Amino acid sequence: MTKKILLSGVKPTGRPHVGNYFGAMKQFVDAQTVGHHENIFMIADYHGLNFIQNKEEMSQLTLDLALDYLAIGIDPAHSVIFKQSDVSAHTELAWIFDTIVTMPYLMRAHAFKDAEAKDKEISVGTFNYPVLMAADILLYDTDIVPVGQDQKQHIEYARDIALKFNHIFCGGNEFGKGGVFKLPEPLIFEHVATVPGTDGRKMSKSYNNTIPLFATREEITKSVMGIVTDSGGPESGGIPQNVYAIHKLFRNESDIKSLYEQNKGKYKILKETLIEDIDTFIKPLRERRAELAKDPAYVLEVLKQGSEAANKKASEKLLEVKKAIGVL
Ligand code: ADP
Ligand code: TRP
């Protein structure tokens, strides 16, 4: 039986946080453990280029993300880890998609509308972001894409683009049957779809409200002490909602309920317990990462092998695409 393909990616734009981990990266490792899929994990450096435009920073952040992947337990013996820029089929396929995707369609994307609302000057790369992401996914016949809620629309775009391509070039029907591209499904777990940050908004690098995934004890303490505690209005029943929402990630439900029941209004104790719980969870990851960081040659070798494996798959698909559009 052929295995289903599970693929995801993260941009190398800074240290990952516990929102990235519980929302997406944990699912990468869990999938690998179950072993039912062929796993492909990408470092989305060409997506990251929209944000990081400095060569030292880019190469450091890329290596860092490779280390992060390995440190959380992604094992190159069971998963392909590669860098997007090493597989030029991604940008080539994105161009082909560009010719069938319309501007009004891309203007409906949340990320574009958000950037526009902030009155930011938007690069063509940012505008086109969903097209490159569709290419990332569709090149590998991906069945499942584990991501957080904020990426759901991008998976829908990938499906739409696959359908449109199949329809135009392969005579596929509107259900996408009989075409070059498979339709991917997102994998999003509701309870971690949007992990809140220390201020109660979505945890995000851009909001400065994160708990870094490989944080030191001091950093954990600083982040937790910075969690905005509501003043315990009547509806909160003495339970600091923001602290509770983060704590839930690190303890099972019954445990946490009784902890918060017993310590109503005792914010200091609750935060201290949270620091302890987060540190217990992060410490082994932090240590594994520090160990791996001693051997950058190994990390580069993993990326080299990953790029060979990814290129092999992607170039086969690109051949199919080129035949379908009539340039081969
Ligand atoms: P950020 O928003 O911090 O820049 P990224 O865009 O690099 O994060 O996201 C990498 C992955 O982590 C994506 O799959 C994204 O959906 C997921 N993710 C990011 N923030 C959260 C969050 N707060 N809760 C759940 N998943 C998240
Ligand atoms: N857009 C994703 C993010 O911001 C990163 C990404 C790029 C990705 N290509 C992908 C995720 C393909 C899943 C599949 O987090």
Side-chain angles (χ1 to χ4, degrees):
M1 205 183 75
T2 53
K3 288 184 171 183
K4 287 204 165 178
I5 307 218
L6 181 140
L7 173 143
S8 195
V10 175
K11 300 187 297 289
T13 48
R15 292 171 79 190
H17 49 73
V18 301
N20 298 136
Y21 180 76
F22 288 101
M25 292 162 87
K26 180 173 186 294
Q27 279 64 266
F28 303 178
V29 186
D30 291 348
Q32 183 187 264
T33 310
V34 173
H36 290 166
H37 310 103
E38 210 178 306
N39 309 298
I40 308 177
F41 301 115
M42 187 180 70
I43 297 173
D45 53 353
Y46 275 170
H47 277 112
L49 190 59
N50 285 304
F51 307 87
I52 306 294
Q53 302 185 334
N54 169 291
K55 76 172 181 187
E56 282 82 21
E57 230 186 313
M58 177 60 94
S59 69
Q60 186 61 51
L61 287 169
T62 303
L63 207 62
D64 280 348
L65 183 53
L67 274 172
D68 299 338
Y69 275 165
L70 294 168
I72 62 170
I74 295 176
D75 177 354
H78 300 287
S79 302
V80 171
I81 305 177
F82 79 101
K83 226 165 61 182
Q84 188 180 30
S85 62
D86 280 339
V87 184
S88 48
H90 291 240
T91 43
E92 197 170 341
L93 182 59
W95 173 260
I96 295 169
F97 288 159
D98 276 345
T99 66
I100 62 167
V101 171
T102 68
M103 301 228 330
Y105 176 73
L106 287 182
M107 286 164 97
R108 289 200 289 275
H110 300 315
F112 170 74
K113 286 206 272 194
D114 291 351
E116 211 188 21
K118 286 182 196 143
D119 242 355
K120 278 198 198 151
E121 197 153 83
I122 299 156
S123 68
V124 176
T126 302
F127 183 61
N128 229 11
Y129 191 103
V131 179
L132 180 57
M133 183 156 159
D136 299 338
I137 296 170
L138 299 177
L139 260 179
Y140 298 89
D141 285 337
T142 303
D143 297 284
I144 304 157
V145 189
V147 280
Q149 180 67 28
D150 59 356
Q151 296 299 313
K152 187 165 184 250
Q153 193 191 39
H154 288 147
I155 318 296
E156 283 158 10
Y157 270 45
R159 289 175 65 92
D160 288 347
I161 293 172
L163 277 172
K164 195 163 184 187
F165 185 97
N166 287 348
H167 184 65
I168 296 175
F169 295 108
C170 321
N173 63 21
E174 70 265 42
F175 304 109
K177 294 265 168 16
V180 167
F181 293 115
K182 230 182 197 177
L183 301 189
E185 297 280 352
L187 176 69
I188 300 173
F189 292 125
E190 208 178 312
H191 64 294
V192 286
T194 307
V195 172
T198 53
D199 58 0
R201 294 188 292 168
K202 176 199 157 198
M203 187 179 288
S204 172
K205 284 166 216 157
S206 43
Y207 292 158
N208 214 358
N209 64 355
T210 67
I211 302 170
L213 179 58
F214 299 97
T216 60
R217 172 91 188 191
E218 293 69 39
E219 287 171 320
I220 296 169
T221 305
K222 188 161 171 269
S223 293
V224 171
M225 285 310 172
I227 298 177
V228 179
T229 43
D230 44 69
S231 55
E235 67 287 355
S236 71
I239 291 178
Q241 298 302 314
N242 293 336
V243 184
Y244 184 83
I246 294 174
H247 214 152
K248 256 188 349 198
L249 302 165
F250 298 92
R251 276 208 188 205
N252 69 44
E253 205 173 330
S254 62
D255 233 27
I256 190 141
K257 278 204 173 125
S258 61
L259 176 74
Y260 278 69
E261 275 302 311
Q262 283 161 22
N263 291 287
K264 272 188 186 163
K266 298 179 188 157
Y267 295 175
K268 185 159 179 286
I269 293 179
L270 290 170
K271 280 191 169 181
E272 279 165 359
T273 317
L274 177 57
I275 292 169
E276 212 49 63
D277 287 350
I278 297 180
D279 195 42
T280 304
F281 172 79
I282 286 183
K283 194 164 177 259
L285 296 180
R286 202 168 57 209
E287 288 175 354
R288 185 142 29 130
R289 196 181 184 290
E291 210 39 52
L292 285 158
K294 291 180 189 159
D295 192 358
Y298 167 72
V299 182
L300 293 175
E301 182 56 30
V302 167
L303 291 181
K304 182 165 168 274
Q305 289 189 9
S307 117
E308 281 162 17
N311 263 303
K312 188 163 176 291
K313 282 178 173 294
S315 56
E316 281 169 19
K317 194 77 200 173
L318 194 62
L319 269 185
E320 255 185 82
V321 172
K322 285 182 158 183
K323 283 187 188 146
I325 62 175
V327 297
L328 260 193

